[in-house]
Structure formats: C-alpha cells, structure tokens
Amino acid sequence: MEWIVMLIKALAATAGGLLALWGGYYLVSGLMCWRGQKPFPIRPARTKFAVLIAARNEELVIGPLINSLLMQDYPPERYDIWVIPNNCTDHTARAAAGFGARVLKCDRPVKSKGEVLRFAYARLRGRRYDAYCVFDADNVVDSRFLREMDLACQSGAGAAQGYRDSKNPYDTPMSGCYSIYYWMMDRFYNQSRAAVGLSAMINGTGFMVAARVLEGMGGWNTHTLSEDLEMTVQCALAGEKVVWVPRAITYDEQPLDYAVSVKQRRRWTSGTIQVAGRYLSQLGRGVEQGSSPLALVDLAALLVTPFYQAAALGAAGRRPQPAGRDDLRFHRRRRISSDPGGQVGPPPAARPGAIWPVPAVLGAHHPGLPGEADHPVGGDPPHPERLPPARSQPSLSGQLNLITPSLTFGRRTAFCAAAALFLSYNKTYVEKAGKIPYNDKDAAGTLWRQKNAREKRQEKIRTLERPCIRSTL
C-alpha cells in the first residue's frame, strides 16, 4: 500500500511541476507583448488573392461582408471573392451573387469548414492565385486588410494572421467576454510571439496562406474540427512561420447566449484534442524543415491546453485540507461504551475522575504534552478496550490532500498573471481607441468616453457595411 501512495505522490508532484512550468512559460511569454512590431515596407500592390468564404445558411449576414470586401483599398483586378455555399437550406448562393461575389457550389457532402476549403482549393488551384484569404460569413473586414496582407506576402510571409476584433462587444455579457478573450489572444499571444520571432496562431478567420506553401504541403489537407489550429501545425512542420499582421483587422460576430457558446467551445476543444493526437508526436520533424526548437515547444504547449484545463479542474475539485485533519476527526469521534447489563452508558469523559488520553498526533505537535496515546494526563486510565486504535500515518485521502495545492499552483499563476496584464493593458487600449486622456477620478467623463468609443466603433462598422457596386466580370 505504501508504494502505491508514493507512486501517486510522485506522479502528482510531477504533474504539479509541469503545470507550474506551463503557467510560468505563458507568464514570461506574455510579458513580451509590450514590444512593438515594425510595419512592413510600403510597396506597390502585386499579390493576387482568392478570398474564400465558406457559408452555410448565411443569407441574412453575408451581404455586409461582401460589401466590406468590395470596398478594399486594393486594385479590384488583384482579388476575387468566392463564396462556397454548403448544406444550405436558404438562398445563400443567390444572396452572395446578388451582392457581387462569385459562387462556387459545393457538389459533394462535407461535414466541416476544413472540407469546404479543401474542395475550394482543389477547384481554384489552376487559376494562378498567389495567396488565399479566409473569412467567416458573418465578418466585416477593414478596408486595408488586403493591402496589409499584400505587404506581408511581399516581405516573404507564407502564412499570416490578422487582428481579430469584435462586431458586437456590447450586446450581451457573453459577447463581451468573447471580445475580451480575442483581445487578449491578439495582445498576449500573437503579438508576444511576433515580438520574439515565434509563430502566431491562425485563428479561424482573417488569415492568409500563400499558394506556394499549400503546394509544398500537397494542398489544403486539414481533416479535424479545428482546421485553423491544424493549419498552424502544418505550417510549423513545413518550416513556415505564421506572421502576425495587426493592421489587417477583421470584425467578427460573437455568440450572444450561453448555449451557443458551450456548443462552440465543445467543438474547439474536440478539435484541439484531435490535432494533438494527430500531430503532437510529429513535432520533432519540424526541426528538419527549418523550424526552431523553441517554436515547436511553444506549439506543443498550445496543443496540451485541453489536458491542462482538465488537470486544473480536477485539482480545483478537491479542497485542500490541513495535515492530520483526517486523523483528528477519527480521534474526535464519540465513543460509546457498553455496560455488562447490555445498557449503553455515557462516554468515559463524562464520568467523574475520567480524563481522555491525548492522541499521539496532538502530542507530537504540542511540546509539553505526552506523546503516547495510552498515557492519560490525570485520573484513572480508561479501560483498554475503550482506547482508540493506534494510527501511525494519515490515510490515503489525507496524504493526497497534502499534495493537492501543488496541482493548482500553475493554474492560479497563469490566471493571475493574465488578469493583471489585461487590466494594466486595458487602460492603454481605451486611451488609444478613444484618442482622449483617461481619468479614473472623473466617473461621468469615463462613462461618456466609453459611450463615445462605442459609437465610433459602430459607425466604423456601418461604414464598412455600406453597399458598394463593383463589376465581377
């Protein structure tokens, strides 16, 4: 029995140390977000883009996205907008064509966004596009998105991720939490990786992949539910770094209620586990292709996120207890003695002249008290049958309680560090967004500035959604 306890202790201590190391790594890497990024050199437009939009029952929301893409500050002959309707029961294809996009009907059964993009790439690879940009149908795109991605391509980027902003951060608390999550991902993950020369993470929408990279990987070969994370891993294995382009902004619509959020996060977690099971053992191959070992370690830390979350939740499920509490509870139980006549009498401590013995666990921690369990402090000693059995060590649950705090250390470290960094950054973010000084003492002025920043954001999104006429011939 002792070796089982020792084995559990060793495994728990190892897991706690790894979790603490994981949280400390994200703390240190998150601090690098304060380093700025140099803009790409200004050059004439040269890249020809294929804009891919996988759409399923998006008739009501796809119009503003196409309008914002038609209003790009980029030569119209240098990009095409392709909408790929799949499994639709509405008129998404008709709506997309009416707004001015090209429609590529998916004539095969598909179950995920990755399969739709694989189908579209197979159909369009012969049209000599230089790069492919991917958006969700409910997005709105900043007018300089393609211009910034063109500059990144001409600077040698094989894959790039833009800044993922939010369309509706003020609608509900759930959409606000999602917005904060993506702001933190942009700031503390992608920007910090770009500052130290590591690869950013492709984030589902608003990203670009060069045609030469896809040709080198044998085409668009994503097979899991998280096609964005899988593409990030495939780029790392191919020796390509995902470049962070913060000036290429995409406004994404966030979920409004808890049910939609749970369904979406379940899909993300399942996809991450699929990617980890498929590629985690192959990361060593990326060194042969030119990827730095640190970049692969960083990617491995990202892939084990679901397992870290499960371990953190498991550790949080057990409430730490002080050492010896289980034994003290055992000694404090009420003991009833039986009289010879079969009548149950009062406990020995209630009888005159009878004093309870001091347990060994108390005597060992209190100097001056006897340490033997069968030695009374005073009075007549109780009958030997009434003495509690001697226990040399805590039970299994008591020993596990001693190591539980080490399991929660990494989770608490990472959470506190992220919260502190975000709160310190949020003040600067609001100041830059509103272009006005920030004054914490003036509550009325603060509310007015927040309302002003909200109105500016909504006005910008309405401007991007404004209809635009462009020939698609």
Side-chain angles (χ1 to χ4, degrees):
M1 187 63 179
E2 290 187 6
W3 70 271
I4 296 179
V5 174
M6 295 179 63
L7 179 61
I8 294 177
K9 282 185 176 182
L11 293 177
T14 303
L18 292 176
L19 293 179
L21 183 63
W22 190 90
Y25 171 75
Y26 272 93
L27 170 62
V28 175
S29 61
L31 293 174
M32 298 295 104
C33 68
W34 305 114
R35 298 180 58 182
Q37 184 179 2
K38 296 181 180 179
F40 298 104
I42 303 299
R43 297 171 182 174
R46 190 182 66 183
T47 308
K48 185 174 182 180
F49 291 103
V51 180
L52 305 181
I53 307 169
R56 178 182 180 183
N57 295 334
E58 306 287 359
E59 177 186 4
L60 300 179
V61 297
I62 200 170
L65 171 62
I66 297 176
N67 286 334
S68 64
L69 290 172
L70 293 175
M71 294 174 59
Q72 290 293 300
D73 184 16
Y74 200 69
E77 67 276 5
R78 304 302 299 173
Y79 70 100
D80 296 319
I81 306 172
W82 290 95
V83 176
I84 309 98
N86 59 94
N87 301 322
C88 293
T89 58
D90 61 357
H91 303 289
T92 300
R94 184 186 304 175
F99 278 99
R102 301 187 178 188
V103 178
L104 181 62
K105 293 185 178 180
C106 187
D107 56 1
R108 65 182 63 175
V110 292
K111 297 182 180 180
S112 65
K113 180 181 175 181
E115 295 181 4
V116 177
L117 296 176
R118 184 164 67 249
F119 164 80
Y121 173 77
R123 290 295 183 89
L124 300 176
R125 64 185 306 176
R127 293 178 178 262
R128 297 183 179 180
Y129 289 112
D130 299 319
Y132 298 85
C133 293
V134 179
F135 298 98
D136 290 339
D138 56 358
N139 294 164
V140 174
V141 185
D142 186 77
S143 59
R144 286 191 57 83
F145 185 94
L146 293 181
R147 187 73 183 101
E148 295 294 333
M149 287 298 180
D150 170 66
L151 298 178
C153 282
Q154 296 191 54
S155 299
Q161 172 64 48
Y163 188 95
R164 186 169 179 174
D165 209 334
S166 176
K167 281 174 59 178
N168 56 336
Y170 308 106
D171 287 359
T172 64
M174 182 60 65
S175 66
C177 291
Y178 264 83
S179 303
I180 294 174
Y181 166 76
Y182 284 116
W183 293 338
M184 294 181 67
M185 283 291 297
D186 291 331
R187 180 73 176 185
F188 298 124
Y189 189 92
N190 286 334
Q191 184 166 330
S192 61
R193 267 59 180 177
V196 296
L198 296 178
S199 179
M201 183 179 68
I202 295 178
N203 214 356
T205 185
F207 67 93
M208 179 274 301
V209 183
R212 60 175 179 83
V213 175
L214 292 174
E215 290 291 339
M217 295 188 301
W220 200 296
N221 293 318
T222 56
H223 303 276
T224 63
L225 293 177
S226 297
E227 77 288 337
D228 49 355
L229 181 58
E230 187 175 4
M231 179 61 69
T232 304
V233 177
Q234 290 178 355
C235 289
L237 295 178
E240 290 288 343
K241 182 177 72 173
V242 180
V243 178
W244 168 237
V245 188
R247 297 187 178 184
I249 305 174
T250 301
Y251 297 91
D252 185 32
E253 186 173 352
Q254 310 303 335
L256 300 179
D257 53 51
Y258 182 75
V260 177
S261 172
V262 169
K263 183 178 179 180
Q264 185 181 63
R265 292 190 173 274
R266 184 188 305 156
R267 184 176 69 252
W268 290 351
T269 303
S270 301
T272 304
I273 295 175
Q274 290 177 355
V275 175
R278 192 182 185 95
Y279 295 98
L280 195 57
S281 60
Q282 305 179 20
L283 291 182
R285 184 162 53 90
V287 180
E288 303 175 358
Q289 302 296 332
S291 297
S292 66
L294 181 58
L296 297 175
V297 170
D298 179 75
L299 189 58
L302 176 63
L303 293 181
V304 299
T305 301
F307 307 101
Y308 169 81
Q309 293 173 343
L313 289 175
R318 291 188 61 87
R319 182 180 179 183
Q321 298 179 356
R325 180 173 179 179
D326 187 69
D327 293 277
L328 292 177
R329 187 188 300 114
F330 174 82
H331 287 292
R332 284 199 300 263
R333 287 185 305 180
R334 181 178 179 179
R335 295 169 180 82
I336 301 178
S337 60
S338 298
D339 292 339
Q343 298 179 355
V344 179
R351 298 176 181 174
I355 301 180
W356 274 97
V358 179
V361 67
L362 290 180
H365 293 82
H366 293 75
L369 295 178
E372 298 295 335
D374 57 348
H375 183 76
V377 177
D380 300 331
H383 194 275
E385 295 181 356
R386 300 172 186 165
L387 291 176
R391 303 183 66 177
S392 58
Q393 59 182 3
S395 64
L396 177 61
S397 61
Q399 296 189 42
L400 292 179
N401 285 332
L402 300 178
I403 58 178
T404 300
S406 64
L407 299 178
T408 61
F409 176 76
R411 176 178 59 87
R412 293 174 180 175
T413 301
F415 177 80
C416 294
L421 287 173
F422 176 75
L423 291 176
S424 60
Y425 168 69
N426 189 45
K427 181 176 180 179
T428 307
Y429 179 84
V430 174
E431 181 179 356
K432 290 183 178 180
K435 304 296 183 182
I436 47 179
Y438 195 94
N439 184 7
D440 289 329
K441 297 181 180 180
D442 185 3
T446 301
L447 293 176
W448 178 84
R449 282 188 291 271
Q450 292 176 353
K451 181 179 179 181
N452 188 27
R454 183 186 306 131
E455 292 177 351
K456 287 184 177 180
R457 172 187 291 270
Q458 294 174 349
E459 178 62 27
K460 184 174 183 179
I461 293 176
R462 283 195 296 267
T463 302
L464 295 174
E465 294 176 346
R466 195 169 299 161
C468 178
I469 300 176
R470 172 192 161 194
S471 174
T472 60
L473 298 179

